[in-house]
Amino acid sequence: MEPMPPKHHQESVIMDSHEMTRALTRIAHEILERNKGCRDVGLVGIRTGGVYLAQRLKRLIAQIEQTEVVLGELDITLYRDDLSIRKDQPVLKKTDIPFHISDIRIILVDDVLFTGRTIRAAMDGLTDLGRPAEIQLAVLIDRGHRQLPIRANYVGKNIPTAKDENIRVLLEELGEEDRVAKLINVGTAA
């Protein structure tokens, strides 16, 4: 029996660069409004896409408030709940949170919220480093299909999807043109 040919995907752009910037600017304003400024607030980006989005939010908040907010990067690899069933070995990246997280409000930042398992792992990673006063969640895209009771405080855009669809956040920091795309399965390649 011959192996099935690979599936072919077509990209449908959901957000362009301008829409992404608008969404992040709105999120920055919402963060400042909810927290009455940025005093005792820290941004923590989840590797990899969340780190770049957190850096953008940091710049936007600095433009709005004329003050800096602290920024950290979190690698959740060792906190994932699928380590024992994965065939490939995880690649450890860097966690760098150069400030004490205890007693401050942490804004976790990620690109796409799907099942909630990444966020659960991130919260486990954070609590190993201290006891934040509060953990809030900012995501560019919420695509639904939660498996855990997790909800974002700040959402750039809600995009209903089928479970087998794929959403990709492409960023210029990763050598792409800024955009959010839905990959649509168009059958098999010839």
Side-chain angles (χ1 to χ4, degrees):
M1 193 158 133
E2 282 188 41
M4 292 288 292
K7 291 181 180 178
H8 180 67
H9 296 282
Q10 183 177 18
E11 180 180 289
S12 171
V13 175
I14 296 167
M15 291 177 87
D16 63 20
S17 174
H18 298 294
E19 292 167 317
M20 287 173 64
T21 299
R22 256 194 315 274
L24 289 170
T25 301
R26 179 176 39 78
I27 289 171
H29 281 282
E30 289 173 356
I31 288 169
L32 292 169
E33 182 177 338
R34 177 180 175 144
N35 294 289
K36 297 175 177 55
C38 58
R39 182 183 169 103
D40 296 325
V41 171
L43 295 169
V44 175
I46 300 171
R47 291 211 160 264
T48 297
V51 170
Y52 297 119
L53 296 176
Q55 290 168 352
R56 292 182 189 194
L57 285 170
K58 176 184 168 81
R59 286 191 299 272
L60 288 165
I61 289 170
Q63 289 172 3
I64 298 163
E65 284 289 294
Q66 305 303 311
T67 188
E68 293 288 319
V69 63
V70 293
L71 175 68
E73 303 175 7
L74 181 64
D75 178 19
I76 58 139
T77 302
L78 294 178
Y79 294 94
R80 294 178 56 100
D81 62 4
D82 62 353
L83 279 179
S84 63
I85 59 174
R86 290 177 63 118
K87 292 179 182 160
D88 57 335
Q89 287 296 314
V91 176
L92 290 178
K93 296 182 178 116
K94 180 174 74 168
T95 288
D96 180 20
I97 301 179
F99 55 92
H100 295 286
I101 69 167
S102 292
D103 301 321
I104 68 169
R105 291 178 302 270
I106 296 295
I107 315 295
L108 267 178
V109 182
D110 204 6
D111 50 4
V112 178
L113 177 56
F114 183 33
T115 63
R117 293 183 180 278
T118 295
I119 304 309
R120 185 219 36 93
M123 289 189 297
D124 288 348
L126 280 176
T127 56
D128 275 355
L129 299 172
R131 189 174 190 270
E134 183 179 358
I135 298 174
Q136 300 169 20
L137 176 60
V139 297
L140 184 61
I141 303 297
D142 184 343
R143 60 171 290 194
H145 303 289
R146 222 67 82 238
Q147 295 174 353
L148 299 172
I150 290 173
R151 191 176 105 208
N153 304 89
Y154 315 101
V155 178
K157 188 169 187 166
N158 288 290
I159 301 175
T161 62
K163 284 187 180 180
D164 62 346
E165 289 180 314
N166 199 348
I167 298 291
R168 293 185 58 211
V169 175
L170 300 133
L171 302 169
E172 64 183 21
E173 292 91 340
L174 297 171
E176 299 281 349
E177 181 181 326
D178 276 353
R179 66 190 182 283
V180 176
K182 183 187 285 189
L183 297 182
I184 302 166
N185 184 4
V186 292
T188 56

